[in-house]
Each structure stands twice: as structure tokens, then as C-alpha cells.
Amino acid sequence: MTYLVSLLLIALIVGLVAVASNPAPYFAALGLVVAAGVGCGVLISHGGSFLSLVLFLIYLGGMLVVFAYSAALAAEPFPESWGDRSVFGYVVIYFVGVGLMMKFFCGGWYEGSWMIIDTFKEFSMLRGDISGVAMMYSLGGSMLVICAWVLLLTLFVVLELTRGLSRGSLRAV
Amino acid sequence: MTPVHFSFCSAFILGLMGLTFHRTHLLSALLCLEGMMLSLFIALALWTLQFEMTGFSAAPMLLLAFSACEASAGLALLVATARTHGTDRLQNLNLLQC
């Protein structure tokens, strides 16, 4: 169990190094997909199956798909991968930096006290994280309305940003 | 620091450094911003699960909703840049340069 979660955490850091070293955006989106996938694995290992499902569906299936086809706007004839000279320098620096930080900051697991959520609790049909999200509809109803309002506002913001071409909000006069 | 805590902290810092030292494309800066949002989602969800504060699990959901707003605003700026400047390379955004 510990080895599996250690592997997932290492894959998370490797995925984000792959994004942060700024290769061509195609490859950075691939690193982000890998990082989100193993992040879901970490959440499942701690018992949050619903939050992991939400991450997969909304983040990977919604937002990253939009980023993936927006990568067509950043098309180059020779995209730089992680083996090319300039990107590889960043990759090495970031790995060395993470290794140094791990030497100073990383501690122990306290394995004996690791419990998945809802162990030793009473029987329930629902896990902790699902019933917590359901609270968003009952006691947190005002936050839900605010969130819906913000999403509607963002729709109009996007519309205004992309309208107007050379007389719009972003111009190259 | 437990390894889990260390890994999402270093994931956030890596995304921040990728955003700071971005090189050519605007889209890679936006992707680093998404990486920071991913590490924040994982952090809030693990906070909920490890402290067993089930009522707090609405927080990662709301974070995801607001980060969708931010990502769409960033992509709208990317599309506007590509339409007016022809490409999203940052060296073309040089109107304020002396």
C-alpha cells in the first residue's frame, strides 16, 4: 500500500516537472493528463472515491480536452520535446531542486496510524466525501447559487473578450 | 512533512516556477496554471479525507468550479491573442516595449 502510494506521488511530481519545464504545449498537456490520473489514484488511496471521479470527469474530461484542442493555436513545425537542449536543462534543474527539498523537508509516513476515511465508524451507505458534497445542496445552498452566478458571468466575460477583433479588448493596432 | 504533504506542496511550487519562467508560448503558462489548480484540488481533498471533516469536501468542488471560470477566461485571452497578433508567442506581445 505504501509502495503504491509512493509510486503515485513520484508520478505526480514527474508529471508536473514535465509541465513546468515548458516543452511544446502538446507535451505539457500530456504531462498534465498523467499528473491528474495519478492524483486521482492518490485520492482513491485515501478513500475519496467521489472526489477522484469528479477530478477525472470535470478536470480531465472537461477542462483539459478544451486545452488540448486549443493547442492547435500554438502549432509549430518542430515542437520541442523533453529531450531538446533548452527544455532538458529545465527538467534537470527541477528534478535536482525537488531532490534537495526532499532531503530537507520530507519526513516519515506514520504508517501505523494511516486510516482510510470512515474506518471504525458506523455503517453507512455513503462514504464521507459523497455526503460532504451533498451538504453543498442543503446548508451550502447560497454558495451553490453564487457559484452558478459566477459561471454565468464568466460566460459573458469570455464572449466579450473574444468579440471585436481589432477594436476589442486585446488589440495589435 | 509527510510524503503526501511534500508532494502536493512541491507540485504547486513546480507549477509556479513553470509559470514564472515560461519561455515562448502563452498556452504553456496557462497549462502551468492548471497544474497549480490540480495540486490545490488534491491538497483540499486530502485535507478533507485525512482530517475526516466530511463537510469540507464541498471546498474542492467549489475550487474546481472557480478554476473552470479562470481557465475559460485564460483561453479566451489566448484566442483573442491568436486572432489579433496571429500567434500566441509572447515575443509578439511587445506593444509596450520601448
Short mmCIF file of all heavy atoms in Angstrom, two decimals, chain B residues 17-60:
data_model
loop_
_atom_site.label_atom_id
_atom_site.label_comp_id
_atom_site.label_asym_id
_atom_site.label_seq_id
_atom_site.Cartn_x
_atom_site.Cartn_y
_atom_site.Cartn_z
N MET B 17 6.83 27.82 -10.63
CA MET B 17 8.09 28.13 -11.31
C MET B 17 7.96 28.00 -12.81
O MET B 17 8.56 28.77 -13.57
CB MET B 17 9.21 27.23 -10.79
CG MET B 17 9.57 27.52 -9.36
SD MET B 17 10.87 26.49 -8.76
CE MET B 17 12.22 27.18 -9.62
N GLY B 18 7.16 27.04 -13.26
CA GLY B 18 6.90 26.93 -14.69
C GLY B 18 6.16 28.13 -15.23
O GLY B 18 6.39 28.57 -16.35
N LEU B 19 5.25 28.69 -14.41
CA LEU B 19 4.53 29.89 -14.81
C LEU B 19 5.46 31.09 -14.84
O LEU B 19 5.37 31.96 -15.71
CB LEU B 19 3.39 30.13 -13.84
CG LEU B 19 2.51 31.34 -14.05
CD1 LEU B 19 1.79 31.23 -15.35
CD2 LEU B 19 1.51 31.44 -12.92
N THR B 20 6.40 31.15 -13.88
CA THR B 20 7.30 32.30 -13.80
C THR B 20 8.31 32.29 -14.94
O THR B 20 8.58 33.31 -15.55
CB THR B 20 8.07 32.25 -12.47
OG1 THR B 20 7.17 31.96 -11.43
CG2 THR B 20 8.75 33.57 -12.20
N PHE B 21 8.90 31.13 -15.22
CA PHE B 21 9.96 31.06 -16.20
C PHE B 21 9.45 30.58 -17.54
O PHE B 21 10.16 29.89 -18.25
CB PHE B 21 11.06 30.12 -15.71
CG PHE B 21 11.67 30.55 -14.41
CD1 PHE B 21 11.70 29.70 -13.32
CD2 PHE B 21 12.19 31.81 -14.26
CE1 PHE B 21 12.24 30.10 -12.13
CE2 PHE B 21 12.74 32.22 -13.07
CZ PHE B 21 12.76 31.36 -12.00
N HIS B 22 8.22 30.96 -17.92
CA HIS B 22 7.72 30.47 -19.21
C HIS B 22 8.51 31.10 -20.34
O HIS B 22 9.05 32.19 -20.21
CB HIS B 22 6.24 30.76 -19.34
CG HIS B 22 5.89 32.21 -19.24
ND1 HIS B 22 5.51 32.78 -18.07
CD2 HIS B 22 5.85 33.18 -20.16
CE1 HIS B 22 5.26 34.06 -18.28
NE2 HIS B 22 5.45 34.32 -19.55
N ARG B 23 8.57 30.38 -21.45
CA ARG B 23 9.54 30.76 -22.47
C ARG B 23 8.90 31.34 -23.71
O ARG B 23 9.07 32.52 -24.00
CB ARG B 23 10.42 29.56 -22.84
CG ARG B 23 11.12 28.99 -21.64
CD ARG B 23 11.99 27.82 -21.98
NE ARG B 23 11.24 26.77 -22.64
CZ ARG B 23 11.56 26.30 -23.83
NH1 ARG B 23 12.59 26.79 -24.48
NH2 ARG B 23 10.85 25.35 -24.38
N THR B 24 8.15 30.53 -24.46
CA THR B 24 7.69 31.05 -25.74
C THR B 24 6.18 31.20 -25.84
O THR B 24 5.68 32.20 -26.29
CB THR B 24 8.15 30.14 -26.88
OG1 THR B 24 7.91 28.81 -26.49
CG2 THR B 24 9.60 30.34 -27.18
N HIS B 25 5.44 30.18 -25.37
CA HIS B 25 4.01 30.16 -25.67
C HIS B 25 3.19 30.64 -24.49
O HIS B 25 3.48 30.31 -23.34
CB HIS B 25 3.57 28.73 -26.01
CG HIS B 25 4.01 28.28 -27.34
ND1 HIS B 25 3.39 28.66 -28.49
CD2 HIS B 25 5.02 27.49 -27.72
CE1 HIS B 25 4.00 28.11 -29.52
NE2 HIS B 25 4.99 27.40 -29.08
N LEU B 26 2.11 31.35 -24.78
CA LEU B 26 1.17 31.74 -23.73
C LEU B 26 0.45 30.50 -23.20
O LEU B 26 0.11 30.40 -22.02
CB LEU B 26 0.16 32.73 -24.30
CG LEU B 26 -0.86 33.32 -23.34
CD1 LEU B 26 -0.18 34.07 -22.25
CD2 LEU B 26 -1.81 34.21 -24.10
N LEU B 27 0.22 29.52 -24.09
CA LEU B 27 -0.54 28.34 -23.67
C LEU B 27 0.22 27.51 -22.63
O LEU B 27 -0.40 26.90 -21.76
CB LEU B 27 -0.85 27.47 -24.90
CG LEU B 27 -1.77 26.29 -24.70
CD1 LEU B 27 -3.07 26.73 -24.10
CD2 LEU B 27 -2.01 25.61 -26.00
N SER B 28 1.57 27.51 -22.67
CA SER B 28 2.28 26.74 -21.64
C SER B 28 2.15 27.41 -20.28
O SER B 28 2.12 26.71 -19.26
CB SER B 28 3.75 26.53 -21.96
OG SER B 28 4.15 27.25 -23.02
N ALA B 29 2.05 28.76 -20.25
CA ALA B 29 1.80 29.42 -18.98
C ALA B 29 0.43 29.05 -18.44
O ALA B 29 0.25 28.81 -17.23
CB ALA B 29 1.92 30.93 -19.14
N LEU B 30 -0.59 28.98 -19.32
CA LEU B 30 -1.92 28.58 -18.89
C LEU B 30 -1.94 27.15 -18.39
O LEU B 30 -2.64 26.80 -17.43
CB LEU B 30 -2.92 28.74 -20.04
CG LEU B 30 -3.20 30.18 -20.45
CD1 LEU B 30 -4.15 30.19 -21.63
CD2 LEU B 30 -3.79 30.95 -19.32
N LEU B 31 -1.17 26.26 -19.02
CA LEU B 31 -1.12 24.87 -18.57
C LEU B 31 -0.45 24.76 -17.21
O LEU B 31 -0.84 23.93 -16.39
CB LEU B 31 -0.40 24.01 -19.60
CG LEU B 31 -1.23 23.66 -20.82
CD1 LEU B 31 -0.37 23.04 -21.88
CD2 LEU B 31 -2.35 22.72 -20.46
N CYS B 32 0.58 25.57 -16.93
CA CYS B 32 1.20 25.56 -15.61
C CYS B 32 0.21 26.05 -14.56
O CYS B 32 0.18 25.53 -13.43
CB CYS B 32 2.45 26.45 -15.59
SG CYS B 32 3.82 25.73 -16.45
N LEU B 33 -0.64 27.02 -14.94
CA LEU B 33 -1.68 27.49 -14.02
C LEU B 33 -2.66 26.36 -13.71
O LEU B 33 -3.10 26.18 -12.57
CB LEU B 33 -2.41 28.65 -14.69
CG LEU B 33 -2.99 29.75 -13.85
CD1 LEU B 33 -1.94 30.34 -12.96
CD2 LEU B 33 -3.54 30.82 -14.76
N GLU B 34 -3.00 25.56 -14.73
CA GLU B 34 -3.86 24.40 -14.49
C GLU B 34 -3.20 23.38 -13.59
O GLU B 34 -3.87 22.73 -12.78
CB GLU B 34 -4.22 23.73 -15.82
CG GLU B 34 -5.22 24.48 -16.63
CD GLU B 34 -6.45 24.78 -15.81
OE1 GLU B 34 -7.07 23.84 -15.28
OE2 GLU B 34 -6.79 25.97 -15.67
N GLY B 35 -1.89 23.22 -13.74
CA GLY B 35 -1.16 22.31 -12.84
C GLY B 35 -1.22 22.78 -11.39
O GLY B 35 -1.37 21.97 -10.46
N MET B 36 -1.16 24.11 -11.18
CA MET B 36 -1.28 24.63 -9.81
C MET B 36 -2.67 24.36 -9.26
O MET B 36 -2.83 24.02 -8.09
CB MET B 36 -1.00 26.13 -9.81
CG MET B 36 0.44 26.50 -10.03
SD MET B 36 0.66 28.21 -10.48
CE MET B 36 0.19 29.03 -9.00
N MET B 37 -3.70 24.52 -10.12
CA MET B 37 -5.06 24.23 -9.68
C MET B 37 -5.23 22.76 -9.32
O MET B 37 -5.92 22.42 -8.36
CB MET B 37 -6.04 24.56 -10.80
CG MET B 37 -6.39 25.99 -10.86
SD MET B 37 -7.14 26.49 -9.33
CE MET B 37 -6.47 28.08 -9.19
N LEU B 38 -4.59 21.88 -10.08
CA LEU B 38 -4.66 20.45 -9.79
C LEU B 38 -4.06 20.15 -8.43
O LEU B 38 -4.64 19.41 -7.62
CB LEU B 38 -3.92 19.67 -10.87
CG LEU B 38 -3.79 18.18 -10.65
CD1 LEU B 38 -5.12 17.52 -10.80
CD2 LEU B 38 -2.81 17.59 -11.64
N SER B 39 -2.90 20.75 -8.14
CA SER B 39 -2.26 20.49 -6.85
C SER B 39 -3.10 21.07 -5.71
O SER B 39 -3.19 20.47 -4.64
CB SER B 39 -0.85 21.06 -6.81
OG SER B 39 -0.89 22.45 -6.76
N LEU B 40 -3.78 22.19 -5.93
CA LEU B 40 -4.65 22.75 -4.88
C LEU B 40 -5.87 21.88 -4.66
O LEU B 40 -6.31 21.69 -3.52
CB LEU B 40 -5.10 24.16 -5.27
CG LEU B 40 -4.08 25.26 -5.08
CD1 LEU B 40 -4.64 26.56 -5.58
CD2 LEU B 40 -3.72 25.39 -3.63
N PHE B 41 -6.44 21.31 -5.73
CA PHE B 41 -7.59 20.42 -5.58
C PHE B 41 -7.20 19.20 -4.77
O PHE B 41 -7.91 18.79 -3.84
CB PHE B 41 -8.10 19.98 -6.96
CG PHE B 41 -9.30 19.08 -6.89
CD1 PHE B 41 -10.58 19.61 -6.91
CD2 PHE B 41 -9.17 17.71 -6.81
CE1 PHE B 41 -11.68 18.80 -6.85
CE2 PHE B 41 -10.27 16.88 -6.74
CZ PHE B 41 -11.53 17.42 -6.76
N ILE B 42 -6.03 18.60 -5.12
CA ILE B 42 -5.57 17.42 -4.39
C ILE B 42 -5.32 17.76 -2.93
O ILE B 42 -5.65 16.99 -2.03
CB ILE B 42 -4.32 16.83 -5.08
CG1 ILE B 42 -4.70 16.26 -6.42
CG2 ILE B 42 -3.67 15.78 -4.24
CD1 ILE B 42 -3.55 15.76 -7.20
N ALA B 43 -4.75 18.96 -2.69
CA ALA B 43 -4.47 19.36 -1.31
C ALA B 43 -5.75 19.50 -0.50
O ALA B 43 -5.84 18.98 0.62
CB ALA B 43 -3.70 20.68 -1.31
N LEU B 44 -6.77 20.20 -1.04
CA LEU B 44 -8.02 20.37 -0.29
C LEU B 44 -8.73 19.05 -0.08
O LEU B 44 -9.28 18.79 0.99
CB LEU B 44 -8.94 21.34 -1.03
CG LEU B 44 -8.60 22.83 -0.89
CD1 LEU B 44 -9.62 23.64 -1.64
CD2 LEU B 44 -8.57 23.23 0.55
N ALA B 45 -8.72 18.18 -1.11
CA ALA B 45 -9.40 16.90 -0.96
C ALA B 45 -8.71 16.02 0.08
O ALA B 45 -9.36 15.35 0.89
CB ALA B 45 -9.46 16.17 -2.30
N LEU B 46 -7.37 16.05 0.11
CA LEU B 46 -6.65 15.25 1.10
C LEU B 46 -6.83 15.83 2.50
O LEU B 46 -6.84 15.09 3.48
CB LEU B 46 -5.17 15.19 0.75
CG LEU B 46 -4.89 14.24 -0.40
CD1 LEU B 46 -3.44 14.30 -0.77
CD2 LEU B 46 -5.24 12.83 0.00
N TRP B 47 -7.00 17.16 2.59
CA TRP B 47 -7.29 17.77 3.89
C TRP B 47 -8.62 17.24 4.43
O TRP B 47 -8.73 16.85 5.59
CB TRP B 47 -7.36 19.28 3.70
CG TRP B 47 -7.27 20.08 4.95
CD1 TRP B 47 -7.41 19.66 6.23
CD2 TRP B 47 -7.02 21.48 5.00
NE1 TRP B 47 -7.26 20.71 7.08
CE2 TRP B 47 -7.01 21.85 6.36
CE3 TRP B 47 -6.80 22.47 4.04
CZ2 TRP B 47 -6.79 23.15 6.76
CZ3 TRP B 47 -6.58 23.76 4.46
CH2 TRP B 47 -6.58 24.10 5.80
N THR B 48 -9.62 17.20 3.53
CA THR B 48 -10.92 16.65 3.91
C THR B 48 -10.80 15.21 4.38
O THR B 48 -11.36 14.83 5.40
CB THR B 48 -11.86 16.68 2.71
OG1 THR B 48 -11.83 17.95 2.12
CG2 THR B 48 -13.25 16.32 3.11
N LEU B 49 -10.08 14.39 3.60
CA LEU B 49 -10.06 12.97 3.87
C LEU B 49 -9.21 12.62 5.08
O LEU B 49 -9.58 11.75 5.87
CB LEU B 49 -9.54 12.23 2.64
CG LEU B 49 -10.42 12.39 1.41
CD1 LEU B 49 -9.69 11.89 0.20
CD2 LEU B 49 -11.70 11.63 1.60
N GLN B 50 -8.09 13.31 5.26
CA GLN B 50 -7.22 12.91 6.35
C GLN B 50 -7.71 13.41 7.70
O GLN B 50 -7.46 12.77 8.72
CB GLN B 50 -5.80 13.39 6.08
CG GLN B 50 -5.15 12.57 4.99
CD GLN B 50 -3.69 12.86 4.86
OE1 GLN B 50 -3.24 13.95 5.17
NE2 GLN B 50 -2.95 11.89 4.39
N PHE B 51 -8.38 14.55 7.71
CA PHE B 51 -8.93 15.02 8.98
C PHE B 51 -10.37 14.59 9.19
O PHE B 51 -10.97 14.93 10.21
CB PHE B 51 -8.86 16.55 9.05
CG PHE B 51 -7.48 17.06 9.22
CD1 PHE B 51 -7.01 18.10 8.44
CD2 PHE B 51 -6.64 16.51 10.17
CE1 PHE B 51 -5.73 18.57 8.60
CE2 PHE B 51 -5.36 16.98 10.33
CZ PHE B 51 -4.91 18.02 9.54
N GLU B 52 -10.93 13.87 8.24
CA GLU B 52 -12.30 13.36 8.31
C GLU B 52 -13.31 14.46 8.57
O GLU B 52 -14.26 14.29 9.32
CB GLU B 52 -12.43 12.25 9.36
CG GLU B 52 -11.48 11.11 9.07
CD GLU B 52 -11.82 9.89 9.86
OE1 GLU B 52 -12.73 9.94 10.69
OE2 GLU B 52 -11.16 8.87 9.63
N MET B 53 -13.10 15.63 7.97
CA MET B 53 -14.07 16.72 8.05
C MET B 53 -14.92 16.62 6.81
O MET B 53 -14.65 17.25 5.80
CB MET B 53 -13.35 18.07 8.06
CG MET B 53 -12.35 18.21 9.17
SD MET B 53 -11.70 19.86 9.29
CE MET B 53 -10.87 20.08 7.76
N THR B 54 -15.97 15.78 6.85
CA THR B 54 -16.70 15.50 5.63
C THR B 54 -17.41 16.72 5.08
O THR B 54 -17.62 16.82 3.88
CB THR B 54 -17.74 14.41 5.88
OG1 THR B 54 -18.48 14.74 7.03
CG2 THR B 54 -17.05 13.09 6.09
N GLY B 55 -17.79 17.66 5.94
CA GLY B 55 -18.47 18.85 5.43
C GLY B 55 -17.57 19.72 4.59
O GLY B 55 -18.05 20.55 3.82
N PHE B 56 -16.27 19.54 4.70
CA PHE B 56 -15.33 20.36 3.95
C PHE B 56 -15.17 19.88 2.53
O PHE B 56 -14.50 20.55 1.73
CB PHE B 56 -13.98 20.35 4.69
CG PHE B 56 -13.02 21.38 4.22
CD1 PHE B 56 -13.30 22.72 4.36
CD2 PHE B 56 -11.81 21.01 3.66
CE1 PHE B 56 -12.41 23.67 3.94
CE2 PHE B 56 -10.91 21.96 3.24
CZ PHE B 56 -11.21 23.29 3.38
N SER B 57 -15.73 18.72 2.18
CA SER B 57 -15.50 18.21 0.83
C SER B 57 -16.26 18.99 -0.22
O SER B 57 -16.07 18.74 -1.41
CB SER B 57 -15.83 16.73 0.73
OG SER B 57 -17.07 16.46 1.24
N ALA B 58 -17.09 19.97 0.18
CA ALA B 58 -17.64 20.89 -0.82
C ALA B 58 -16.57 21.84 -1.32
O ALA B 58 -16.69 22.38 -2.42
CB ALA B 58 -18.81 21.67 -0.23
N ALA B 59 -15.50 22.08 -0.51
CA ALA B 59 -14.47 23.05 -0.90
C ALA B 59 -13.72 22.67 -2.17
O ALA B 59 -13.54 23.53 -3.04
CB ALA B 59 -13.51 23.28 0.26
N PRO B 60 -13.24 21.41 -2.34
CA PRO B 60 -12.60 21.10 -3.61
C PRO B 60 -13.54 21.21 -4.81
O PRO B 60 -13.10 21.60 -5.90
CB PRO B 60 -12.11 19.66 -3.46
CG PRO B 60 -12.36 19.26 -2.10
CD PRO B 60 -13.06 20.31 -1.37
#
